[in-house]
Amino acid sequence: MPPLRIRSTWLCALLFSCCLVPFASADNVDIRRALDLPAKIDNLVFRDRVRANWLPDGQSFWYQIQTGPTSKEYVLIHTKTAERKTASNRKELRLPEADPIRSSNLKIDLRKPSRTGDPTRLRFVNELNDEVKLYWLSPSGERIEYGSLQPNEERIQNTFDGHKWLLTNSKKTNLATYEADVLDSTLIIDGEGVTNTNEPKSDTKKSKQSPNGKWSLSIDSGRIILHDRDSKTTKALVTKLDELSPFQNQFTWSPDSSAFVVCNTSVVSRRQITIVESSPKDQLQPKLQQLEYIKPGDPLPQPTIVLFRLHDEEFHPHIVDNDLFKTPFTTSERLDVHWSPDSSEFYFDYNERGHQTFRIIAVERESGLARVVVEEKSATFIDYTNKTWRHWVHDSNELLWMSERNNWCHLWLYNSKTGQLKNQITNGSWPVRDVLHVDEQRREIWFMASGLAGSFDREEDPYHLHLCRVDFGGSGFVQLTEGDGNHAIQFSPDRDFFIDAWSRVDQPKIHELRQCRDGKLVCVLETADISQLLESGWQLPERFSAKGRDGQSDIHGIIIKPTHFDPKRKYPVVEQIYAGPHSAFVPQDFSELERQHQIAELGFIVVQSDGMGTNHRGKVFHDVCWKNLKDAGFPDRIAWIKTASQNRPWMDLSRVGIYGGSAGGQSAMRALLDHHDFYHVAVADCGCHDNRMDKIWWNEQWMGWPIDDNYRASSNAEDAHRLKGELMLIVGELDKNVDPASTMQVVGALQKANKVFEFIPIVGTGHGAAETPYGNRRRMEFLAKHLLFERP
């Protein structure tokens, strides 16, 4: 029998058909088109980034701007006259060199890696009587040697803005690290710099010197050792505390060296989780990785504060009574303490476990008595990670404080010595979002706020940030930015001017130069050019708002269409979800939004909104999440989508999918447990599916403590038997953010309930596994397979 001959075209077609996911659709879904979209729309937005480089006169600055795919120009601005000069290179602008920098004035910080900006040059001058070696620190932190400098030798080194360089001597002692700037600069090597004080100290016996230099402290076998440098004597400081509770190697001296504070903490067992690295690069056999991972309900350290005061050349211990801070929420054995400039008292925060009481505590040095400077209480939670900003004004015994006690996040002024409220500084149905600067001399506060709609007689998205200023007394409030969009600020060094960069998802970025005192416009610097992006077929997102579950609250979101959008067709709807209560997540700034547009390119309408339970809309809006993370704003999201579809007939609500990662992964699966009458398909990536399994700080913040049945009620594992619809679970085997066992327990519960689902563990990957090329493709294939056809 002659050999079977198969035509190559037939064979290729056969092989190709075997590799494709079978779609029950006649739509000819093109996965490759969606995968290729990021490359198609890359580098098509110009004149959208301004990084000001201020010149020494403080009256002018320059920046580089991209004008096309491979072109750029340099711009010099004079602030007083608004005069603008442009050139094709920096030399034409005659920009000065930066002042020389000495290595002895630099910090040694090896943690921050290099980044790559514009080309620039460094001039190294070796003034030491020793050889100096040069190393470039790569973005991964690798040291790459670039030769050496002999004594009195100079060298010009070509580099890039953001590139980081390490200098060592012949004994390999680190002298300094320096990050190149956009200006050509000179680095004079004249000695060893200062070790970064934020670097972790490996030597547990390292001494802590008093401000006057007379004493130094160290820890030896859990005991405090005091060394008197004048008498050259050493002694152990004794207290009545349990010897099994060691002192921590962190001392906080009073400015006048008359006292210091240290914490004594009993040993608490720390939970360890084990992760299996199935396929290490350097060996065949799997590796076990163990890491400390504290979960809700776990025991926490209980630091005891000990104040040592100097009397008659002896330091005497005083154990500070903890009646005002009995149950601190802290994963550290120490409390962060700082002293008043006059050394009369020290301060620390007390965040009570459960996050319903927060205090700033002051302890008087002479008496050792503790008192409350300011206190917050809540029946639900205090958002301590976002809304406990403070600024001490010691010269006038005042404290600027942030509080959400009247439903909105605002600023308050306290007498720091008496703890008495002097006045509320800001007020209104809008939140302070961030404090940028406090001018103590003028008694002014510069801050970002949102929700200021109506200031310019127009409706504006309540999430848009604006720059504002107010006096300590609450008068003189002024909004300094105008554009209907989200604003980001760069101040000039003397704060006479600021650069305002503002945009919306449907408005390309505009950069304006404005005066600080009144916000008056000096000139428009740049308006982003998106013409080539639009020519590619990319669609501007559509902003949309509708009423939420209460019929009063406006829910805001965006709607994204594919490049091949046809208003005569009907498209399935896919929601991107992240409902973490720590913030709000609908994009506010203009960008290409590659991931959302990539999903849309499959043939979907992609939507995203911020439902109740998310942040920045007042306490009542926020409190919906309290002990209720399973809610995830779904009643608001569903109402928003339904309202949007009423005059958008191309939104097909018979085919609705959802995807999300981390807390969004928990929510994506929850959609099919509680709302399968609306959502039909879900992809859940690295979900914290049970809040008892996830990290302590995030989950106790919103779900409370002690652990109660509300944790069980929000658990996807507990409710897995209720699953209806098509579910894909994705997890990275090396996830150190959310314990991968959380996903595995859901898999087990689904199997026990005899449910059909897809499970994609991704080898060698950590958190955000669905954002890997493989995870992203599998997610898109799954959504397309189950949504791109008319449901019966």
Side-chain angles (χ1 to χ4, degrees):
M1 182 178 178
L4 178 65
R5 296 184 181 275
I6 302 177
R7 291 185 58 148
S8 59
T9 53
W10 182 85
L11 177 61
C12 289
L14 175 65
L15 292 174
F16 183 70
S17 65
C18 292
C19 294
L20 286 178
V21 176
F23 298 112
S25 169
D27 289 332
N28 292 325
V29 177
D30 189 347
I31 293 285
R32 175 51 53 191
R33 180 173 62 190
L35 289 172
D36 290 345
L37 182 69
K40 178 182 176 182
I41 64 176
D42 182 47
N43 197 28
L44 296 181
V45 177
F46 314 113
R47 311 196 82 95
D48 65 324
R49 292 180 187 145
V50 171
R51 180 186 172 193
N53 305 287
W54 289 87
L55 298 181
D57 63 7
Q59 303 298 316
S60 52
F61 64 92
W62 68 274
Y63 58 89
Q64 175 191 295
I65 196 77
Q66 185 180 6
T67 57
T70 59
S71 60
K72 60 187 176 183
E73 73 178 15
Y74 294 86
V75 182
L76 177 65
I77 300 290
H78 294 277
T79 58
K80 296 298 184 183
T81 63
E83 181 185 359
R84 176 189 184 97
K85 293 182 179 179
T86 61
S88 59
N89 60 68
R90 285 166 47 188
K91 289 183 179 179
E92 290 182 30
L93 293 179
R94 298 181 180 179
L95 298 172
E97 283 197 8
D99 292 336
I101 299 167
R102 293 188 172 271
S103 63
S104 56
N105 294 328
L106 293 174
K107 287 185 177 179
I108 301 170
D109 186 355
L110 301 178
R111 300 167 303 162
K112 183 179 177 183
S114 290
R115 58 177 177 80
T116 299
D118 300 326
T120 187
R121 296 193 308 168
L122 276 174
R123 176 171 166 253
F124 292 106
V125 180
N126 183 11
E127 290 189 350
L128 299 178
N129 293 321
D130 191 6
E131 179 186 48
V132 172
K133 290 187 175 294
L134 304 180
Y135 298 88
W136 173 59
L137 299 180
S138 73
S140 63
E142 182 183 4
R143 299 185 185 187
I144 300 175
E145 186 172 348
Y146 266 72
S148 60
L149 289 172
Q150 298 305 313
N152 300 315
E153 185 180 355
E154 297 184 10
R155 178 190 299 177
I156 300 293
Q157 177 67 52
N158 291 319
T159 184
F160 292 87
D161 169 31
H163 275 200
K164 195 167 182 180
W165 294 84
L166 169 67
L167 315 176
T168 71
N169 61 18
S170 60
K171 297 178 181 179
K172 298 185 178 180
T173 300
N174 294 339
L175 299 176
T177 54
Y178 180 68
E179 183 177 306
D181 200 352
V182 287
L183 285 175
D184 293 350
S185 52
T186 297
L187 180 58
I188 298 174
I189 307 167
D190 64 342
E192 183 177 349
V194 180
T195 300
N196 191 309
T197 56
N198 291 321
E199 284 192 44
K201 302 297 191 296
S202 58
D203 183 3
T204 59
K205 295 184 180 181
K206 189 165 184 177
S207 65
K208 310 291 182 177
Q209 186 171 300
S210 62
N212 64 6
K214 178 174 171 56
W215 293 285
S216 62
L217 297 164
S218 62
I219 297 290
D220 189 358
S221 302
R223 299 177 305 159
I224 301 174
I225 307 300
L226 176 72
H227 176 68
D228 187 329
R229 295 193 174 188
D230 291 345
S231 63
K232 301 190 184 310
T233 59
T234 298
K235 65 178 295 186
L237 300 181
V238 179
T239 69
K240 297 179 180 179
L241 292 168
D242 186 346
E243 292 182 358
L244 296 179
S245 301
F247 284 98
Q248 305 306 311
N249 189 35
Q250 176 175 303
F251 307 95
T252 308
W253 283 96
S254 63
D256 65 2
S257 301
S258 67
F260 67 87
V261 178
V262 65
C263 286
N264 179 277
T265 312
S266 57
V267 176
V268 175
S269 62
R270 302 281 184 132
R271 181 188 298 272
Q272 303 282 319
I273 65 170
T274 301
I275 296 175
V276 179
E277 185 179 4
S278 65
S279 309
K281 294 180 180 179
D282 57 347
Q283 65 182 49
L284 175 64
Q285 298 302 324
K287 286 183 180 179
L288 294 182
Q289 296 186 19
Q290 279 200 319
L291 64 145
E292 184 179 291
Y293 195 101
I294 307 173
K295 296 185 178 184
D298 283 358
L300 293 178
Q302 299 288 313
T304 296
I305 296 178
V306 184
L307 168 65
F308 282 86
R309 296 169 294 194
L310 179 64
H311 291 291
D312 299 326
E313 292 300 307
E314 294 283 340
F315 281 94
H316 301 275
H318 172 80
I319 300 171
V320 179
D321 189 283
N322 73 343
D323 278 351
L324 292 174
F325 49 97
K326 285 186 176 179
T327 317
F329 178 84
T330 177
T331 58
S332 171
E333 287 82 6
R334 312 160 184 157
L335 294 175
D336 289 329
V337 168
H338 78 272
W339 285 85
S340 62
D342 64 3
S343 300
S344 63
E345 57 186 2
F346 64 88
Y347 312 99
F348 62 93
D349 290 349
Y350 171 60
N351 179 20
E352 187 169 271
R353 193 166 186 183
H355 307 299
Q356 294 178 301
T357 299
F358 191 98
R359 298 181 181 123
I360 295 180
I361 304 290
V363 177
E364 187 184 39
R365 181 192 60 185
E366 287 304 313
S367 68
L369 296 177
R371 65 178 177 86
V372 175
V373 179
V374 65
E375 178 181 81
E376 296 293 325
K377 283 187 173 292
S378 173
T380 55
F381 58 85
I382 294 165
D383 185 2
Y384 75 97
T385 54
N386 294 296
K387 297 164 187 168
T388 54
W389 174 89
R390 84 293 311 276
H391 180 89
W392 299 88
V393 189
H394 288 294
D395 288 347
S396 55
N397 295 324
E398 290 174 311
L399 173 69
L400 298 170
W401 174 246
M402 181 181 284
S403 169
E404 208 173 20
R405 63 185 62 169
N406 67 349
N407 187 51
W408 296 96
C409 185
H410 282 298
L411 301 177
W412 308 69
L413 182 65
Y414 274 82
N415 183 311
S416 61
K417 290 297 184 182
T418 66
Q420 294 298 307
L421 174 65
K422 298 183 72 171
N423 59 266
Q424 184 173 351
I425 300 172
T426 59
N427 197 10
S429 299
W430 50 269
V432 172
R433 295 281 297 277
D434 188 21
V435 178
L436 304 183
H437 177 64
V438 175
D439 188 329
E440 294 185 14
Q441 304 239 314
R442 288 181 167 176
R443 296 179 66 80
E444 293 175 341
I445 307 166
W446 301 71
F447 63 96
M448 303 300 289
S450 59
L452 295 168
S455 298
F456 298 98
D457 298 321
R458 63 166 180 253
E459 292 297 324
E460 187 172 356
D461 190 307
Y463 297 96
H464 286 171
L465 291 168
H466 282 276
L467 175 65
C468 305
R469 186 181 66 242
V470 70
D471 300 337
F472 284 12
S475 62
F477 174 87
V478 58
Q479 181 176 322
L480 297 164
T481 47
E482 295 184 2
D484 179 9
N486 199 44
H487 296 254
I489 306 300
Q490 300 176 53
F491 287 104
S492 64
D494 58 9
R495 293 188 176 270
D496 284 343
F497 299 91
F498 67 89
I499 296 172
D500 176 21
W502 65 275
S503 68
R504 300 187 306 267
V505 291
D506 58 354
Q507 164 63 60
K509 189 163 290 185
I510 296 174
H511 286 85
E512 300 171 337
L513 178 65
R514 292 182 174 270
Q515 295 178 357
C516 277
R517 290 316 301 168
D518 55 11
K520 182 180 179 181
L521 178 67
V522 177
C523 64
V524 175
L525 299 174
E526 301 291 343
T527 299
D529 176 7
I530 65 167
S531 57
Q532 292 189 37
L533 179 64
L534 295 176
E535 287 170 6
S536 74
W538 184 90
Q539 301 276 319
L540 275 171
E542 179 185 353
R543 296 186 297 146
F544 177 71
S545 66
K547 298 299 180 185
R549 71 185 78 182
D550 59 3
Q552 297 180 351
S553 301
D554 287 323
I555 305 302
H556 291 257
I558 58 174
I559 301 170
I560 294 174
K561 309 178 188 74
T563 63
H564 48 84
F565 175 73
D566 180 353
K568 296 179 182 178
R569 288 187 54 191
K570 293 182 74 68
Y571 295 86
V573 175
V574 173
E575 179 177 7
Q576 175 176 312
I577 188 169
Y578 192 91
H582 54 281
S583 191
F585 305 96
V586 173
Q588 298 300 322
D589 299 306
F590 183 88
S591 72
E592 291 89 337
L593 297 176
E594 288 183 357
R595 180 63 73 225
Q596 293 96 321
H597 280 271
Q598 192 177 42
I599 297 291
E601 195 67 4
L602 292 168
F604 297 129
I605 300 299
V606 174
V607 299
Q608 189 174 353
S609 65
D610 284 314
M612 297 183 78
T614 52
N615 214 335
H616 311 314
R617 294 287 300 280
K619 195 74 167 69
V620 173
F621 192 100
H622 201 185
D623 277 349
V624 170
C625 74
W626 174 237
K627 296 194 173 192
N628 186 31
L629 287 180
K630 72 174 183 178
D631 179 276
F634 277 119
D636 312 300
R637 298 170 186 278
I638 293 171
W640 182 89
I641 294 172
K642 287 181 175 179
T643 303
S645 70
Q646 290 175 2
N647 59 357
R648 294 169 179 82
W650 32 267
M651 293 177 64
D652 182 1
L653 298 196
S654 71
R655 298 179 287 167
V656 180
I658 190 169
Y659 70 95
S662 196
Q666 178 184 18
S667 299
M669 181 177 174
R670 178 55 61 175
L672 297 187
L673 302 180
D674 292 349
H675 306 282
H676 41 252
D677 58 332
F678 184 78
Y679 297 97
H680 312 112
V681 181
V683 180
D685 171 35
C686 296
C688 41
H689 294 286
D690 190 315
N691 301 105
R692 297 167 293 186
M693 288 290 293
D694 195 23
K695 64 195 83 62
I696 186 173
W697 69 267
W698 196 86
N699 293 273
E700 284 195 11
Q701 165 77 96
W702 318 115
M703 293 295 292
W705 177 85
I707 307 303
D708 58 20
D709 286 343
N710 291 295
Y711 278 83
R712 180 184 295 271
S714 284
S715 168
N716 289 348
E718 297 283 350
D719 291 342
H721 62 280
R722 295 166 53 185
L723 178 72
K724 289 185 180 180
E726 305 294 339
L727 173 67
M728 171 180 276
L729 295 169
I730 300 176
V731 71
E733 69 168 358
L734 301 180
D735 192 342
K736 297 179 182 179
N737 186 327
V738 175
D739 187 346
S742 183
T743 296
M744 296 304 300
Q745 289 179 358
V746 166
V747 169
L750 289 169
Q751 291 172 343
K752 184 178 180 181
N754 201 29
K755 296 292 182 178
V756 176
F757 62 100
E758 289 197 29
F759 175 44
I760 309 292
I762 300 187
V763 171
T765 297
H767 199 56
E771 304 311 320
T772 63
Y774 181 75
N776 181 42
R777 181 174 66 83
R778 292 301 304 270
R779 175 173 59 192
M780 288 197 294
E781 290 172 347
F782 187 79
L783 291 169
K785 175 182 178 181
H786 293 290
L787 288 173
L788 286 175
F789 60 90
E790 298 289 339
R791 293 178 63 85

